[in-house]
Amino acid sequence: MLTIAVASGKGGTGKTTVTANLAVWLASQNVDVAALDCDVEEPNLHLFLRPVWTKTTPENVPVPEVDEERCLGEECRKCVDLCRFKSLIMMAGSVMVFPELCHGCGLCTLACPARAIREGAREIGVVRTGATAGADSARIPVVGGEMRIGEAMAPPLILAVKRTAPASAVRLIDCPPGTSCPVIASLGGADLAVLVTEPTPFGLHDLELAVGVLRKMDIPFGVVINRDGMGDDRTHRYLEREGIPLLGTLPHSAEAAHCYSEGRLHVDALPGFREAYASIWENIRTLAAREVSR
Amino acid sequence: MKIAITSQGNSLDSSIDPRFGRAAGFVIVDTETGETSFADNAQNLSLPQGAGIQAAQNVAATGAKAVITGHVGPKAFLALEKGRIDIYLGAQGTVAQALEAFKAGQLDKADSADKEGHW
């Protein structure tokens, strides 16, 4: 399985566009591909792939429940002092748990000498699985997560999406924007990343942050410049200077924007885009082959 | 009774810190003896989460039975309530001025949080 994460430092650069179009283009070439929406805070891949969801599973994280009878109270404080997420405090001699702050690591349960803590469950969201409604041969399995409103902790749900997705020759992961924990969770285990950027100063700034993350994680990557022709040539110059492979460009056009706004796919609706994705895929394969032999 | 006043500095002349969880520290005033001391809250300033409840725990450890501050969020409110620590909101100016306003009955005693939690 070749796992390709589609990421970007900045939101709104075209991650979902690239993921959805590449998935559909690959399926049209009879490549066994699955698409994962790991932007569980604002999932939108389904707007373009329009899967029929067949299964929805709640995802829980463990949260501590303290048995006051057994708790040793003020003298012990082990759970309170060890919690790196600061989700427990000692107040008026008893432990108070703040479940929204808990990351479910389970350390407090392990650390309690009186076995006063047991693990309860808190639902953080759901994982959905389904497939696109195309002809049988071109059906693309789609998996996505949706966080419960008010929930702050995306990584466990992202990992659940990746765990739930079926095995396929190519796995495309639509990552959340930014460079924080949810992005790291989405990128983890990827063979390769495709960074989508737009050629603007904002795009370049956030691209540089994303490049820093991928280098730190030691994941090979290349860049797709979306809306090429707008902005300036600083992004092109940056890629040359840094020796970062340019996997392809997608043109800045009113038709493309219009098509996107209607939730239609560029590879279906616009001339030239199929060739662009064919070329992007060829460059991804070349990069993957080079990295495997590294 | 000891009162904890959120402060940007360590004396009665310091400015009030309107935040509770991420206050620089607490000036602790003993209303019977007039003695003051300072409880540093710096370790909470850079916490990614949970600053409010950690501050509540710190205040409880000083033995204070009331807090004077600008605002309080829902988790800190719950924690202080559990510790039977009263909360007075809307303090402004210096720590000394806030203390005077409290003594004159000009501060509102909170019966709920006046700020939303960050999540």
Side-chain angles (χ1 to χ4, degrees):
Chain A
M1 184 164 74
L2 180 66
T3 302
I4 301 168
V6 182
S8 75
K10 185 182 170 302
T13 56
K15 283 178 295 301
T16 303
T17 301
V18 168
T19 309
N21 282 282
L22 191 56
V24 168
W25 184 81
L26 284 172
S28 76
Q29 304 299 302
N30 294 317
V31 175
D32 171 30
V33 60
L36 282 64
D37 193 348
C38 282
D39 187 359
V40 300
E41 289 168 277
E42 286 186 329
N44 59 355
L45 186 61
H46 63 282
L47 297 175
F48 297 91
L49 292 181
R50 302 173 204 236
V52 178
W53 298 122
T54 47
K55 199 172 159 200
T56 300
T57 320
E59 181 64 22
N60 298 318
V61 291
V63 283
E65 287 174 358
V66 182
D67 181 345
E68 294 247 356
E69 300 287 307
R70 288 181 164 220
C71 178
L72 304 175
E74 198 74 64
E75 298 94 85
C76 171
R77 292 182 60 100
K78 276 220 163 65
C79 57
V80 170
D81 293 340
L82 286 172
C83 178
R84 66 186 297 180
F85 303 107
K86 305 286 182 193
S87 53
L88 305 154
I89 58 168
M90 182 66 70
M91 191 54 90
S94 57
V95 176
M96 275 183 99
V97 180
F98 290 81
E100 309 93 311
L101 302 180
C102 173
H103 286 222
C105 75
L107 181 62
C108 53
T109 311
L110 289 173
C112 179
R115 294 174 182 265
I117 302 181
R118 65 178 200 96
E119 291 191 342
R122 179 169 64 93
E123 186 178 327
I124 55 167
V126 295
V127 174
R128 295 201 176 95
T129 56
T132 55
D136 274 355
S137 61
R139 276 201 182 167
I140 303 169
V142 182
V143 184
E146 187 171 344
M147 249 182 358
R148 193 175 59 76
I149 289 172
E151 181 55 56
M153 204 175 30
L157 193 55
I158 289 168
L159 298 182
V161 169
K162 293 163 92 172
R163 202 168 58 230
T164 308
S168 54
V170 175
R171 171 179 274 196
L172 292 179
I173 296 180
D174 190 8
C175 296
T179 49
S180 64
C181 305
V183 180
I184 311 296
S186 306
L187 288 170
D191 298 304
L192 190 83
V194 174
L195 288 178
V196 183
T197 190
E198 57 179 30
T200 63
F202 292 123
L204 178 56
H205 173 267
D206 291 3
L207 174 66
E208 290 181 27
L209 295 177
V211 165
V213 169
L214 288 165
R215 285 184 173 156
K216 189 101 186 164
M217 293 179 79
D218 202 19
I219 296 171
F221 62 94
V223 167
V224 168
I225 298 181
N226 190 19
R227 303 191 197 105
D228 195 30
M230 78 183 294
D232 53 37
D233 67 347
R234 271 184 273 183
T235 303
H236 284 276
R237 280 189 280 140
Y238 166 75
L239 298 181
E240 278 169 27
R241 198 166 62 238
E242 292 284 321
I244 296 169
L246 176 63
L247 301 170
T249 59
L250 299 165
H252 177 48
S253 82
E255 287 107 331
H258 198 247
C259 183
Y260 165 88
S261 72
E262 290 174 337
R264 288 188 298 148
L265 292 167
H266 295 146
V267 289
D268 288 340
L270 296 177
F273 274 81
R274 294 186 68 81
E275 290 72 31
Y277 279 97
S279 159
I280 288 170
W281 176 242
E282 208 39 56
N283 290 330
I284 288 174
R285 289 217 314 194
T286 306
L287 181 61
R290 196 176 82 199
E291 292 299 331
V292 166
S293 64
R294 186 170 63 148
Chain B
M1 180 179 77
K2 280 189 182 171
I3 300 173
I5 304 167
T6 54
S7 170
Q8 295 176 28
N10 60 7
S11 75
L12 288 171
D13 299 326
S14 306
S15 296
I16 282 281
D17 198 322
R19 304 168 302 176
F20 176 69
R22 293 183 200 277
F26 307 99
V27 173
I28 312 294
V29 181
D30 188 322
T31 51
E32 278 129 53
T33 64
E35 274 176 50
T36 66
S37 60
F38 181 68
D40 200 349
N41 194 44
Q43 73 281 9
N44 274 359
L45 296 185
S46 59
L47 281 185
Q49 61 171 35
I53 63 173
Q54 292 299 318
Q57 188 176 243
N58 292 349
V59 165
T62 68
K65 290 295 162 209
V67 164
I68 297 175
T69 187
H71 304 280
V72 70
K75 295 190 196 74
F77 179 86
L78 263 181
L80 290 168
E81 193 179 40
K82 168 100 175 182
R84 295 170 187 265
I85 298 167
D86 291 336
I87 310 155
Y88 294 87
L89 300 180
Q92 286 176 358
T94 65
V95 172
Q97 285 167 345
L99 188 61
E100 286 313 308
F102 165 74
K103 285 177 175 166
Q106 290 163 355
L107 297 183
D108 295 327
K109 185 170 166 180
D111 52 12
S112 67
D114 74 327
K115 285 278 179 195
E116 280 187 28
H118 291 286
W119 48 63

